[in-house]
Amino acid sequence: MDCEAVERSLSLYIEGELSREEEEAVERHLKTCSGCAELLDLMHEVRGTLSTLPSPEVSEPMKEKLYGIPGRKRTIRLFLEYLFRPSFQPIVAAAAILLVLLSFIGFHTDRSLVIQALDRQVHWGFSQVEQLYAHADSLTHALGGYTGDVLESLKKIPLFDGNNEKETAF
Amino acid sequence: MLVDAYSQRIFNLAYHFSGSREEAEDMTQEIFLKLYTALAKYDFSKNFDAWLMTLARNHLIDQYRRTKWEKKSRDALDEFSLAAEPRSGPEERILSREIQTIIWEGFNHLSPDIRLALILRDIQGKKYDEIAEIMALPLGTVKSRINRGRLQLAKILKQRKEQGHGL
């Protein structure tokens, strides 16, 4: 048995788990190899020391936290059940869509382009509304003092009168 | 109750593995959280102790890979908590404390699997076949890892003795 083979067998030798033949082979080597004999002593020391390492007690506040875990988990489960009940689903769906849109804007590589495009669309919408107001204003202005008369005439047109045919018959 | 029966064992495993009381407390809580979630999937034909220790082992190794504890230093050993030989004199106690510190710090040089196997065997006193079940490894691999761990620590101890750290 060489040093490498003895090193591989040292733990089992210490714990008495080798066969009689293997044990004798290790002992023969140890008698002639001071390096391996020293390693054996050190391994005994390591084993002995490991068994004396401190094992601190679990503190009371820590235990309290551990006792509280099932309750905490139950609260989370109830909250999730409340959040995902059927009547909340449209809100959850809307929130998910909003989140996807926001993340699309937030994580898009050309974020500035997306923001510019959005900006253009919003401004276009505003300008359309402004144009509509401007048309309404110009119409009111063109009519001038006749606005009242025009409205009065419009009222007299029997467009929505159900007795229209009856009146023409007379 | 699960907390009374297992918290000490899980906490000590996490403490010896991470070397930090604070980390061990956080990880014990995380392991118990996982335990309550996984309980529904527990197969009653299996050994509960081994199942729980496997869950703890997986969590510890995952955390180790994520945070790389080997870069962190371990807590200083509390001298009042060290188990000294009652009949030993002050010199022996100092020597014993120094060796404990070398071994304690030496844990950081062991790979996570070897460290865990050594803790289970030499600190928690588990049998080889129990460790093989917990770590989901063949018996031969477990024996070889434990031997490698002891050898590594023995070589670290030898090196420190040669450097003359008062030993």
Side-chain angles (χ1 to χ4, degrees):
Chain A
M1 225 180 205
D2 59 4
C3 292
E4 209 176 302
V6 170
E7 275 194 14
R8 276 201 305 271
S9 313
L10 277 181
S11 277
L12 298 179
Y13 173 72
I14 290 171
E15 293 175 306
E17 293 214 8
L18 288 179
S19 67
R20 185 85 191 134
E21 280 174 10
E22 286 169 326
E23 204 177 292
E24 281 170 5
V26 170
E27 279 167 358
R28 270 198 305 276
H29 180 86
L30 289 173
K31 276 178 192 163
T32 56
C33 179
S34 59
C36 286
E38 188 191 9
L39 208 52
L40 176 70
D41 290 341
L42 286 164
M43 276 182 84
H44 274 300
E45 209 169 346
V46 166
R47 275 192 79 210
T49 307
L50 282 172
S51 64
T52 63
L53 285 178
S55 297
E57 292 284 314
V58 178
S59 66
E60 279 309 310
M62 168 77 190
K63 270 195 179 174
E64 289 304 317
K65 280 183 192 169
L66 294 178
Y67 287 132
I69 288 174
R72 237 163 64 203
K73 280 193 71 67
R74 200 169 149 265
T75 313
I76 293 167
R77 192 168 52 81
L78 286 175
F79 173 71
L80 287 174
E81 275 175 14
Y82 177 78
L83 196 67
F84 291 104
R85 66 200 166 132
S87 57
F88 259 19
Q89 279 173 5
I91 297 167
V92 173
I97 291 166
L98 190 67
L99 201 68
V100 168
L101 286 174
L102 286 175
S103 57
F104 176 74
I105 296 166
F107 296 106
H108 199 282
T109 45
D110 293 326
R111 212 172 77 176
S112 57
L113 287 176
V114 175
I115 291 169
Q116 273 175 18
L118 275 173
D119 199 37
R120 269 201 301 276
Q121 285 300 315
V122 169
H123 276 91
W124 182 81
F126 271 117
S127 68
Q128 289 295 307
V129 172
E130 275 171 3
Q131 275 179 25
L132 201 65
Y133 269 111
H135 282 309
D137 268 354
S138 64
L139 187 67
T140 316
H141 183 72
L143 287 171
Y146 302 107
T147 314
D149 297 340
V150 171
L151 285 172
E152 197 61 35
S153 315
L154 284 170
K155 276 182 196 169
K156 284 180 182 168
I157 296 172
L159 284 173
F160 308 108
D161 196 346
N163 299 325
N164 198 11
E165 283 176 24
K166 213 187 280 176
E167 278 175 19
T168 43
F170 282 111
Chain B
M1 193 162 179
L2 285 172
V3 174
D4 297 322
Y6 295 101
S7 62
Q8 189 64 53
R9 222 181 306 169
I10 301 289
F11 174 70
N12 284 337
L13 183 70
Y15 175 68
H16 291 127
F17 187 75
S18 69
S20 153
R21 192 180 178 110
E22 201 183 321
E23 291 261 13
E25 288 194 348
D26 288 347
M27 282 183 296
T28 305
Q29 280 190 69
E30 288 159 11
I31 290 166
F32 268 84
L33 256 167
K34 280 194 173 175
L35 166 66
Y36 287 117
T37 311
L39 265 180
K41 294 177 212 158
Y42 170 63
D43 176 358
F44 282 89
S45 65
K46 286 186 178 170
N47 175 358
F48 184 79
D49 275 32
W51 178 78
L52 175 58
M53 293 305 270
T54 305
L55 194 129
R57 175 248 175 206
N58 291 342
H59 184 77
L60 292 175
I61 302 257
D62 284 351
Q63 282 293 310
Y64 174 87
R65 286 185 182 139
R66 239 176 275 157
T67 58
K68 295 282 173 200
W69 285 329
E70 79 276 17
K71 288 176 188 162
K72 295 182 188 173
S73 59
R74 297 170 78 86
D75 284 357
L77 282 178
D78 180 358
E79 62 182 86
F80 298 106
S81 62
L82 296 182
E85 287 287 318
R87 279 175 290 175
S88 63
E91 273 182 34
E92 280 118 333
R93 278 207 295 274
I94 290 167
L95 186 65
S96 159
R97 197 177 304 151
E98 292 223 14
I99 292 169
Q100 277 178 320
T101 306
I102 292 168
I103 301 291
W104 178 246
E105 284 169 2
F107 266 137
N108 270 20
H109 298 279
L110 306 181
S111 73
D113 268 334
I114 290 181
R115 194 188 304 184
L116 206 64
L118 208 56
I119 292 166
L120 291 170
R121 177 69 185 164
D122 285 343
I123 302 181
Q124 300 211 347
K126 293 213 174 290
K127 290 176 187 164
Y128 280 117
D129 54 353
E130 285 176 321
I131 301 169
E133 193 182 350
I134 291 168
M135 301 192 70
L137 289 170
L139 192 61
T141 311
V142 169
K143 286 181 178 177
S144 146
R145 285 189 185 179
I146 289 170
N147 187 54
R148 266 163 54 204
R150 286 175 184 159
L151 273 173
Q152 272 182 269
L153 290 179
K155 285 175 182 172
I156 290 169
L157 187 58
K158 185 184 173 191
Q159 197 185 2
R160 296 291 295 270
K161 280 185 176 186
E162 282 167 358
Q163 285 166 354
H165 283 267
L167 302 169

